[in-house]
Amino acid sequence: MRSLSWFCVLMCGLLPSGISEGSGDNKSGAGGGGPFLLARDGQPACTIVISRNQTPAARLAALELQFHVMRITGAELPIRTDDGNIAGARVLVGESEATRAMGFKGSDFAPQEYLIAFRPETVVLIGRDWEDTGANRAEFGRPMNCGDTLGATRHRIDYWKTVGYPERSTGEMELPGVYDDQATCYAVYDFLERFCNVRWYGPSETGVAIPSRKTITVKGADIRRSPALKYRDALWSGNWPFMQKQWGPVTRSEVHLFWRRLRLGGEKWAGNHTFHPKTIQTMLNDPEYQAQGPGRGTQLCYSNPRLVEKVAQMARDFFDGKANAPEGWKAVGNYFALVPDDNSKFCECARCKELLASGKDMNTGQFSSGTVSNYFFSFVNAVAREVRKTHPDRYIATLAYWNYALPPRGFDIEPNVSVAPCLHTCVYAIHKEMRENDMNLYKEWLQKAKAPVFLWNYYHHPMEPALIDKWKCFPNVMVHTTADSMRMFIRDGVRGIFICGEQDMLEAYVIAKIWDDLEQDVDAILREFFQRYFGHAAKPMEKFYRQLEAIACDPKNYPPPYYRKNGIDWKGVAWKTLGTEERMKKLGALMVSAQSSAQTDLEKRRVSLWQDAFWKWMEDGRNEYRAKHSETAGKRGK
């Protein structure tokens, strides 16, 4: 069994720092019961009750509640099914005979909506869940992330081994799919955060903050709510250096469980490149609508009526369950994506050239422009019109990206076209022109789009070019700017967000919290994180992180020639104007202070992980810059 050093105090019955009542679609009311004992003096004081035919979400939720209460108190709450006689206090997890007798059914809740209810001798934790039926398992779909098909997002883990108790293993279980309804899990996770003060900052034991006490008493008003953002997706797998090293060693099972705890997933949506060599060769190989011109083959003739008919029929077959989208395509739920390949080798037939020429005046001088918008959205509209004849309640999903980022001119977007503008959120703190260009196209899409709007948010710079070209970037910490952007998007009615890239673990955690509840106080989340995570080393570590943010988010640190109208020379600024010698000395002193302040083994381990993730990376980057600069100066001297 794993052991952790706990230094946090549980404040049951109170709203911990960073948790607010006004979250998401919230409906709170008076509870019908007094204080409820989960455990007393290290002994169970209630029973967890689930249906004999429990949903995958209820099965996981019951185990998560049992595990966390056991880690807090040492008491193992028994889990019983509703087909037996159960005396005493109960926690009802998911729909069961007992909840139905009280008037609570999962089907009465909206998708992703859940309830935390207090009744005499009873706590109810319930929401709408995906049912494990043949029809549900037969649903086709190729999502954006977490698995190539919907079925592949229902990851299998050995639960007890994953949470550190291999001796309790009962074999593998299937988790609720990332994009399946699992609101009973949301109810339990909210309950554990709100009333039991549990936090999941990372997927391994090092990233979990669980308090320690022998007795847990909970009480409060009923809470009925759903996450503020309906589609919540990110590539947070620990693949990039900061998050990878901050997390420390993790298993895929730990990562898969962590995604559920952060409530990633939600509504089914997908939008990414669909017309590329693989799909053209396998599904769209009719010579009639291949792109004309030398060196083509990764684009099609998007003005060809036969192509419109073919793609519209593919969408109809997908929506009717007759055929899955081909490998490499993106289509899931009510959305069938159409996005061209990532190049400008467009067809040179007369009609295509005419449409392309019509966008020549839509060049913004930025990466995101509209020179191809009239051309591509004419095709998207044509397919959408055909699909709407037979499937008026389904959507053609597409991106507003690169040279087709702006809305088209001269015609409206069809009402069943769901657009996802691609926005450069990673530069919003420092690049005025790129942010203004993004905001112009974003606001225009909000006005013109009639279908749900999603977003593709870029968080890949400067790390992606640094990894590609093998140099060390300065950490682009911008947690407050990120939180402000997310709040704006949610308030504007954006339906969902896909994150492209990986932040550090703390900024990712803040994003997940804002996605769930846009009213959360970022500074309160940060203060709580550093106190709970680093304990005695909290002050120097918080100061270190906030200084990284202050440096990265100061526009004065990006002077010309490194600041350009359409971008940043990230390599040029990294160690010349951002990570200067003077700043590195101050940041290094804070890291030394944190190392000497950490007292418990857990505190030392966490400081060491952050030192390896941030400080060693920064030292290496600065040293490489210094060596190259010295070498260049030496050559000039000769």
Side-chain angles (χ1 to χ4, degrees), residues 275-515:
F275 298 100
H276 42 71
K278 180 179 291 187
T279 55
I280 291 174
Q281 291 166 11
T282 58
M283 297 289 293
L284 300 162
N285 51 17
D286 190 326
E288 181 174 335
Y289 47 69
Q290 301 307 301
Q292 297 182 23
R296 298 304 185 261
T298 61
Q299 300 288 0
L300 295 167
C301 179
Y302 296 115
S303 66
N304 189 294
R306 284 283 300 278
L307 179 62
V308 171
E309 293 173 7
K310 171 67 175 180
V311 175
Q313 190 58 51
M314 288 172 60
R316 291 190 188 99
D317 289 345
F318 170 76
F319 291 136
D320 290 339
K322 295 179 180 179
N324 200 354
E327 185 180 356
W329 206 277
K330 298 300 175 188
V332 66
N334 293 327
Y335 299 89
F336 188 87
L338 303 183
V339 182
D341 201 10
D342 205 359
N343 63 66
S344 292
K345 296 179 180 179
F346 295 114
C347 179
E348 295 183 0
C349 77
R351 178 56 179 156
C352 286
K353 289 176 71 174
E354 179 185 358
L355 285 167
L356 285 166
S358 70
K360 64 181 180 180
D361 294 331
M362 296 170 65
N363 191 338
T364 62
Q366 297 281 347
F367 176 83
S368 297
S369 72
T371 56
V372 181
S373 293
N374 290 348
Y375 175 51
F376 182 63
F377 288 109
S378 291
F379 168 71
V380 172
N381 265 359
V383 175
R385 282 192 293 270
E386 289 302 309
V387 172
R388 193 168 72 252
K389 294 175 183 177
T390 54
H391 297 76
D393 58 342
R394 304 299 175 93
Y395 301 102
I396 296 301
T398 191
L399 301 181
Y401 164 69
W402 188 16
N403 44 19
Y404 50 97
L406 274 64
R409 301 290 185 260
F411 59 90
D412 293 330
I413 290 294
E414 292 295 318
N416 60 327
V417 173
S418 176
V419 179
C422 300
L423 304 179
H424 300 81
T425 38
C426 54
V427 301
Y428 280 4
I430 54 165
H431 203 291
K432 179 182 178 182
E433 286 88 354
M434 289 182 71
R435 188 180 192 281
E436 287 180 349
N437 189 59
D438 271 10
M439 289 298 97
N440 288 338
L441 69 90
Y442 163 71
K443 291 175 182 177
E444 193 173 352
W445 275 118
L446 287 182
Q447 292 176 349
K448 294 191 173 183
K450 300 177 180 65
V453 172
F454 294 78
L455 294 178
W456 182 298
N457 282 179
Y458 293 122
Y459 281 95
H460 59 321
H461 281 232
M463 182 57 77
E464 185 177 81
L467 293 176
I468 292 172
D469 294 332
K470 297 180 172 56
W471 56 276
K472 302 292 193 298
C473 61
F474 189 85
N476 192 32
V477 175
M478 49 175 291
V479 62
H480 287 85
T481 301
T482 293
D484 289 343
S485 297
M486 295 301 168
R487 288 194 189 97
M488 176 185 67
F489 297 147
I490 295 170
R491 288 181 177 131
D492 286 344
V494 166
R495 189 76 183 172
I497 297 174
F498 176 82
I499 297 286
C500 181
E502 279 189 357
Q503 299 81 353
D504 75 275
M505 66 178 283
L506 180 51
E507 188 162 334
Y509 176 79
V510 170
I511 288 173
K513 293 293 99 183
I514 298 295
W515 282 354

Side-chain angles (χ1 to χ4, degrees), residues 125-138:
L125 304 171
I126 187 175
R128 177 185 287 265
D129 293 340
W130 181 85
E131 298 281 346
D132 190 357
T133 66
N136 283 342
R137 283 198 177 273

Side-chain angles (χ1 to χ4, degrees), residues 68-380:
H68 285 89
V69 171
M70 184 169 65
R71 291 306 301 262
I72 294 168
T73 68
E76 182 178 347
L77 304 185
I79 298 176
R80 300 286 183 265
T81 56
D82 58 355
D83 53 354
N85 293 322
I86 300 166
R90 308 168 301 170
V91 180
L92 308 181
V93 176
E95 182 179 338
S96 65
E97 291 287 351
T99 66
R100 287 190 288 273
M102 299 173 68
F104 299 126
K105 295 189 297 182
S107 59
D108 291 337
F109 291 83
Q112 304 188 56
E113 185 185 29
Y114 61 86
L115 172 71
I116 300 172
F118 296 89
R119 298 293 182 268
E121 289 290 284
T122 303
V123 171
V124 180
L125 304 171
I126 187 175
R128 177 185 287 265
D129 293 340
W130 181 85
E131 298 281 346
D132 190 357
T133 66
N136 283 342
R137 283 198 177 273
E139 181 184 1
F140 295 132
R142 292 197 185 278
M144 286 279 289
N145 196 14
C146 307
D148 182 55
T149 64
L150 279 177
T153 71
R154 298 177 187 122
H155 307 108
R156 300 189 66 85
I157 70 170
D158 184 323
Y159 179 81
W160 287 106
K161 182 180 179 181
T162 302
V163 297
Y165 290 81
E167 70 279 3
R168 295 173 60 99
S169 173
T170 56
E172 286 193 341
M173 63 176 287
E174 186 180 66
L175 298 177
V178 176
Y179 309 99
D180 292 339
D181 282 329
Q182 51 193 288
T184 293
C185 282
Y186 298 171
V188 167
Y189 291 139
D190 192 355
F191 179 83
L192 288 169
E193 287 179 323
R194 196 181 294 263
F195 297 102
C196 299
N197 217 11
V198 174
R199 299 289 183 271
W200 303 283
Y201 298 122
S204 71
E205 63 170 351
T206 307
V208 180
I210 304 179
S212 178
R213 65 179 299 167
K214 294 297 183 182
T215 298
I216 303 180
T217 303
V218 297
K219 64 178 180 179
D222 290 357
I223 298 164
R224 184 163 181 164
R225 67 179 301 277
S226 60
L229 192 69
K230 302 311 175 189
Y231 168 83
R232 308 168 297 279
D233 215 341
L235 296 172
W236 298 335
S237 298
N239 291 325
W240 284 15
F242 294 156
M243 187 176 287
Q244 179 188 82
K245 293 180 182 296
Q246 287 171 315
W247 281 358
V250 296
T251 66
R252 296 312 300 164
S253 292
E254 287 175 321
V255 173
H256 292 158
L257 185 57
F258 182 59
W259 290 342
R260 275 72 179 179
R261 291 170 172 177
L262 285 189
R263 282 78 108 189
L264 297 184
E267 192 165 283
K268 298 182 179 76
W269 175 85
N272 203 347
H273 302 291
T274 53
F275 298 100
H276 42 71
K278 180 179 291 187
T279 55
I280 291 174
Q281 291 166 11
T282 58
M283 297 289 293
L284 300 162
N285 51 17
D286 190 326
E288 181 174 335
Y289 47 69
Q290 301 307 301
Q292 297 182 23
R296 298 304 185 261
T298 61
Q299 300 288 0
L300 295 167
C301 179
Y302 296 115
S303 66
N304 189 294
R306 284 283 300 278
L307 179 62
V308 171
E309 293 173 7
K310 171 67 175 180
V311 175
Q313 190 58 51
M314 288 172 60
R316 291 190 188 99
D317 289 345
F318 170 76
F319 291 136
D320 290 339
K322 295 179 180 179
N324 200 354
E327 185 180 356
W329 206 277
K330 298 300 175 188
V332 66
N334 293 327
Y335 299 89
F336 188 87
L338 303 183
V339 182
D341 201 10
D342 205 359
N343 63 66
S344 292
K345 296 179 180 179
F346 295 114
C347 179
E348 295 183 0
C349 77
R351 178 56 179 156
C352 286
K353 289 176 71 174
E354 179 185 358
L355 285 167
L356 285 166
S358 70
K360 64 181 180 180
D361 294 331
M362 296 170 65
N363 191 338
T364 62
Q366 297 281 347
F367 176 83
S368 297
S369 72
T371 56
V372 181
S373 293
N374 290 348
Y375 175 51
F376 182 63
F377 288 109
S378 291
F379 168 71
V380 172

